[in-house]
Amino acid sequence: MNSFLKRNPTYSKYDIDALKIPSHVAIIMDGNGRWAKARGKRRIHGHAQGVKSIRAILDFAGDLKITHLTLWAFSTDNWKRPKYEVSFLMNLLEKYIDNEKANFMKNRIRLRILGNLEDIPVKVRKKLKTLIEETKDFDKLNLNIALSYGGREELIGAFKNISDKIVSGVLSRDEIDDHVIKSHLFTADIPDPDLIIRTSGEFRLSNFFIWQSAYSELFFSTVFWPDFRPEHFFEALLHYSQRERRFGGIQ
Ligand code: FPP
């Protein structure tokens, strides 16, 4: 039962008691460029507008008492984009941290970055590290921003670290199991996502959460990320609630 949804007239026509609220929702925020192009604007306008969606979805996730929200903001492949677009995104991230800091503190939101923080320009990296440190004891909502993140790169890093431990005798080959692999991922202390949403009508995961998505439900929305709002998120939750997760067993 979710009292926020019950109190909200927008959702009164739905059977809120039957709604399953996932613990961890991960979103591939896609379609910023196409959103801008459709309006005759440069791609960067789509990114700027996309921040408004982040705000709306983060608030909604908090209201629903979702404990983990992961947003994929920048992939390892995104470094190949034109320089001005990459620096615009980095500046946007910096502004986001400056503007949202008070919200993180007030609503006890813990920030984590999934990906290679050392790739991020030093000025932005410092701000991210400070906010990560300042919010590390918060537990109401965990916001994980995947940044300079790629699923294969994450696995390669994990396998290298595991190999080093085998070579140095800290770990034996026979001890390798799914727990050992998970403990070497960026998401070592984060539950796997129950639901992964991709916006903009693309039907693939594109190197996102390769290991973590093994049992996730997938929902693909045709809405471009800058237009994605709580009602679209709610639609994903309705689909999620109707699905039966059996994890390979029978029920
Ligand atoms: C994908 O759309 C989106 C991105 C590569 C960037 C996402 C970034 C934001 C929403 C804003 C900045 C993030 C934070 C956390 C402040 P695309 O550009 O690939 O769109 P397209 O597929 O239509 O070209």
Side-chain angles (χ1 to χ4, degrees):
M1 200 261 291
N2 192 288
S3 52
F4 167 78
L5 289 172
K6 281 210 156 167
R7 275 187 272 114
N8 192 323
T10 314
Y11 305 106
S12 57
K13 63 176 181 232
Y14 299 102
D15 179 6
I16 298 303
D17 288 329
L19 199 70
K20 288 183 210 154
I21 303 290
S23 302
H24 182 180
V25 180
I27 307 183
I28 303 174
M29 307 182 287
D30 198 10
N32 294 356
R34 279 164 285 162
W35 182 92
K37 198 174 170 214
R39 285 156 182 79
K41 293 182 174 176
R42 293 171 83 195
R43 300 174 48 80
I44 53 173
H45 290 282
H47 298 319
Q49 193 68 20
V51 175
K52 295 185 185 163
S53 307
I54 294 179
R55 235 168 255 156
I57 297 304
L58 184 64
D59 283 354
F60 192 58
D63 289 336
L64 294 181
K65 303 204 172 7
I66 285 170
T67 53
H68 285 274
L69 178 69
T70 296
L71 301 175
W72 196 10
F74 197 87
S75 75
T76 42
D77 292 325
N78 288 152
W79 293 110
K80 294 180 213 144
R81 292 192 176 196
K83 224 175 146 193
Y84 84 90
E85 186 174 339
V86 171
S87 32
F88 184 87
L89 279 166
M90 294 301 142
N91 288 336
L92 204 57
L93 183 63
E94 187 183 354
K95 259 196 255 163
Y96 176 78
I97 297 300
D98 291 341
N99 294 340
E100 294 301 310
K101 195 169 187 145
N103 182 34
F104 277 74
M105 306 316 280
K106 179 169 171 254
N107 290 308
R108 302 184 64 77
I109 299 169
R110 176 176 182 179
L111 175 72
R112 282 190 185 87
I113 298 296
L114 313 178
N116 225 336
L117 245 185
E118 300 312 309
D119 295 345
I120 305 301
V122 64
K123 199 162 150 243
V124 193
R125 194 195 316 157
K126 271 189 185 165
K127 289 193 179 178
L128 286 168
K129 282 190 174 172
T130 304
L131 194 56
I132 291 169
E133 182 58 29
E134 286 174 354
T135 62
K136 71 175 192 314
D137 296 324
F138 292 166
D139 51 5
K140 201 175 151 234
L141 171 60
N142 293 275
L143 174 66
N144 314 309
I145 300 183
L147 208 57
S148 195
Y149 175 85
R152 287 186 178 178
E153 290 77 1
E154 178 184 39
L155 284 174
I156 292 167
F159 297 155
K160 283 183 178 166
N161 288 336
I162 292 170
S163 310
D164 286 347
K165 287 185 185 170
I166 293 174
V167 170
S168 63
V170 177
L171 192 73
S172 82
R173 170 202 175 278
D174 293 337
E175 280 175 303
I176 298 178
D177 61 9
D178 49 354
H179 300 290
V180 169
I181 294 181
K182 183 177 167 66
S183 69
H184 288 80
L185 302 178
F186 295 120
T187 51
D189 53 352
I190 297 173
D192 287 344
D194 304 293
L195 172 65
I196 298 178
I197 300 171
R198 182 172 188 159
T199 62
S200 88
E202 302 289 359
F203 299 97
R204 55 181 178 273
L205 290 179
S206 302
N207 200 22
F208 182 62
F209 274 2
I210 305 249
W211 179 270
Q212 299 86 337
S213 63
Y215 293 102
S216 305
E217 293 296 335
L218 307 179
F219 182 78
F220 298 97
S221 168
T222 53
V223 176
F224 291 146
W225 176 251
D227 284 332
F228 197 79
R229 288 294 176 273
E231 62 268 29
H232 306 114
F233 191 96
F234 185 79
E235 196 191 336
L237 293 183
L238 285 177
H239 280 263
Y240 174 78
S241 298
Q242 283 152 14
R243 300 203 190 150
E244 207 187 313
R245 300 175 82 199
R246 291 188 296 276
F247 300 94
I250 47 172
Q251 268 169 10

